[in-house]
Amino acid sequence: MITQFRKTAALVAGLCALGALTTTGSAGAAERPGPDGIWQVDDYGTVLAVRGGVLDTYQVTSVSCLKGVAGTRDKGTPARYAMADGDVYTLRAGARAKLHIDGSPGDRSLRRLTALPATCRAPQPGAFDVFWQTFQENYPFFAAKGIDWQEVRDRYRPRAEAARTDAELYDILAEMVAPLHDAHVVVSADKTGFFGMTRPGTVVPGPGLDAKVRAFVERRDLKGQSLRPYANGRIGYADVPAPGGGSYGYLRLSAFSGYSEANTYAANRDELDRALDAILTPDRVHRLRGLILDVRVNGGGSDSLGLDLAARLTDRPYFAYAKRTRHTAPQPQHVRPAAATRYSGPVALLTGGSTFSAGETFTQAMMERPAPTTRIGEPTQGVFSDVMERALPGEGHAKWWFGLPNEEFLTRDGRTTFDGVGVPPLLPEPVFTDAEFAHDRDAAFDRAVGWLGERGR
């Protein structure tokens, strides 16, 4: 499925499908009728053409223009468009026109154009040039990763021109981006191949690892107690006896998507609310001495669901992070207390290299939490941005696509990003290593119990 702005752990979606995110629902803001016309989505390589209740998208660079997904206007809310891939776009007119995509915090700025770009009426370049130019115009991390992208073009373009088979072209494209070690960079070539990779030394958070870890936690950490499942099994909860009496809560999330059969943002948000209503009852919140929140195996999903969870863990609003693209100003995002039962006591957040994407933006949001909070384990994967999914031109490449990030998630200082290296723990401990499994250890969990015990003294 090719979408314009998809938040997903791209490697996970391609290799093991913890659950692809599809977003839909209300934008939650006052709306004006969706304007007909042509709109450039600033810094997202996309043009929108709106006419007669239909919204067409075009994937554009300075040298190319490819038709993307289309949608139709919601009859009940004229500013909203249900896209063929399941997303819902909301266009807000006015002097500062905006595009909102449900499930992704913040908005994209729109500029009105008088016509589609000239490249939309011209012959399209080859697949190599579209691929290279898309990264050139959108990928933010070449400098940080020491990659000279122009040199990459000079080295690989002659090989691409000489390629005679799909397999040869696929190998070239995959080889070009392999040094990025970016789990949000994907090359999907239909039956020819699929390329995706993680940061070295980390493991994909797939269903096999998820099931192995859940069984290990239930046997070892929970002393044989089963996690109570919620949200299609993506959320699990158990009460853990605390030393000296009382209990800690243990809340485990394997994704921020896939909570419902529809797997839309609105449906997933409803399931998250139902799960948290059942878990965070007034009685339990009153008696909990602390909460262990485990996202060590989390395949990502919707950033907005992460903010929704954080909103149930605070009594005060606070800054979460700021999003920006290469040429736009940072757009601050905040956590605001939910209008439901909330827990505001100590939280020990467990993270690791298999904490991906929306699991990481949630971790970053928890860094500023006003109540006592610590991070235990290993650095997260290091991929935060929504993923731009792009098509490749050519009749033989109808089902080929590639993905890349184009956003940075910044801390309060407006300069720090954890892309590439991941959010570091405050209390480092090994996470699900071979030695940990072999010796029946879970040092991060035990450290969390100890830290919560110290908070209660």
Side-chain angles (χ1 to χ4, degrees):
M1 183 186 300
I2 297 176
T3 69
Q4 298 297 308
F5 312 108
R6 176 74 61 187
K7 181 67 178 189
T8 176
L11 178 62
V12 179
L15 294 179
C16 49
L18 264 179
L21 168 69
T22 320
T23 53
T24 188
S26 171
E31 299 166 346
R32 300 180 183 182
D36 281 7
I38 312 295
W39 300 90
Q40 173 80 48
V41 187
D42 284 344
D43 232 22
Y44 282 85
T46 298
V47 168
L48 312 178
V50 184
R51 182 178 179 183
V54 175
L55 188 156
D56 289 312
T57 66
Y58 295 83
Q59 301 172 3
V60 299
T61 70
S62 61
V63 301
S64 63
C65 175
L66 298 175
K67 186 75 177 294
V69 69
T72 55
R73 184 175 294 168
D74 185 332
K75 294 180 180 179
T77 311
R80 294 175 67 228
Y81 295 81
M83 308 303 290
D85 54 38
D87 282 340
V88 168
Y89 291 4
T90 299
L91 273 64
R92 302 190 181 110
R96 297 182 178 179
K98 301 288 184 182
L99 167 67
H100 178 82
I101 301 176
D102 285 0
S104 180
D107 297 319
R108 281 86 165 158
S109 296
L110 298 176
R111 289 185 295 111
R112 187 183 287 276
L113 304 178
T114 57
L116 289 173
T119 51
C120 296
R121 302 184 296 276
Q124 296 302 301
F128 177 91
D129 290 326
V130 171
F131 184 84
W132 184 88
Q133 192 68 32
T134 301
F135 275 87
Q136 169 69 10
E137 295 181 10
N138 295 284
Y139 191 73
F141 308 118
F142 286 128
K145 297 189 176 187
I147 303 295
D148 183 341
W149 194 236
Q150 183 63 53
E151 186 276 332
V152 170
R153 182 182 188 277
D154 296 342
R155 178 156 40 104
Y156 284 96
R157 197 170 193 278
R159 288 178 54 186
E161 290 177 337
R164 293 293 178 263
T165 67
D166 283 350
E168 289 177 351
L169 177 61
Y170 164 76
D171 287 343
I172 290 166
L173 300 182
E175 191 176 326
M176 288 170 64
V177 295
L180 298 174
H181 296 291
D182 191 323
H184 273 174
V185 170
V186 168
V187 182
S188 180
D190 194 21
K191 298 178 182 179
T192 303
F194 179 90
F195 169 83
M197 67 187 307
T198 64
R199 176 166 55 80
T202 62
V203 180
V204 175
L209 178 62
D210 181 52
K212 177 181 179 180
V213 166
R214 183 176 63 250
F216 177 80
V217 166
E218 289 178 336
R219 181 190 59 77
R220 193 267 184 195
D221 299 333
L222 304 182
K223 312 302 182 187
Q225 179 184 182
S226 295
L227 286 165
R228 180 161 186 157
Y230 300 91
N232 219 11
R234 304 297 173 90
I235 298 174
Y237 180 83
D239 288 310
V240 180
S247 64
Y248 302 136
Y250 175 79
L251 178 61
R252 182 174 185 269
L253 294 94
S254 63
F256 284 98
S257 66
Y259 294 168
S260 65
E261 184 176 347
N263 201 26
T264 63
Y265 169 64
N268 288 338
R269 181 190 58 207
D270 289 344
E271 285 300 320
L272 177 63
D273 285 342
R274 277 190 280 271
L276 295 177
D277 286 344
I279 294 167
L280 300 178
T281 62
D283 177 65
R284 178 175 280 130
V285 167
H286 177 73
R287 58 185 168 82
L288 277 184
R289 292 178 52 192
L291 179 66
I292 301 170
L293 210 166
D294 193 347
V295 292
R296 287 177 290 180
V297 180
N298 187 293
S302 167
D303 296 328
S304 293
L305 290 176
L307 294 179
D308 292 338
L309 173 58
R312 299 291 292 264
L313 301 174
T314 184
D315 285 335
R316 287 186 283 164
Y318 65 92
F319 171 88
Y321 44 73
K323 294 174 62 173
R324 76 174 176 196
T325 57
R326 291 172 68 179
H327 304 109
T328 59
Q331 191 174 156
Q333 307 300 319
H334 295 84
V335 175
R336 294 177 174 83
T341 305
R342 301 181 299 273
Y343 170 78
S344 58
V347 171
L349 180 62
L350 308 185
T351 69
S354 296
T355 307
F356 271 50
S357 198
E360 301 186 80
T361 64
F362 169 72
T363 299
Q364 188 166 345
M366 291 290 285
M367 291 175 65
E368 298 275 355
R369 183 174 180 263
T373 309
T374 196
R375 302 183 306 279
I376 303 173
E378 296 178 344
T380 63
Q381 176 62 209
V383 289
F384 296 76
S385 172
D386 288 5
V387 177
M388 297 176 61
E389 294 188 13
R390 310 276 95 168
L392 283 172
E395 293 183 4
H397 305 143
K399 295 183 179 179
W400 287 39
W401 62 273
F402 63 99
L404 69 157
N406 73 317
E407 302 167 330
E408 293 178 288
F409 279 60
L410 304 173
T411 58
R412 183 183 291 276
D413 64 13
R415 297 185 301 274
T416 304
T417 176
F418 297 108
D419 277 279
V421 297
V423 179
L426 292 171
L427 304 176
E429 294 289 351
V431 172
F432 303 133
T433 62
D434 290 342
E436 288 271 287
F437 284 127
H439 295 93
D440 202 34
R441 292 195 303 251
D442 190 348
F445 180 90
D446 293 347
R447 189 75 179 272
V449 172
W451 181 82
L452 290 173
E454 291 173 1
R455 300 296 309 181
R457 291 176 185 171

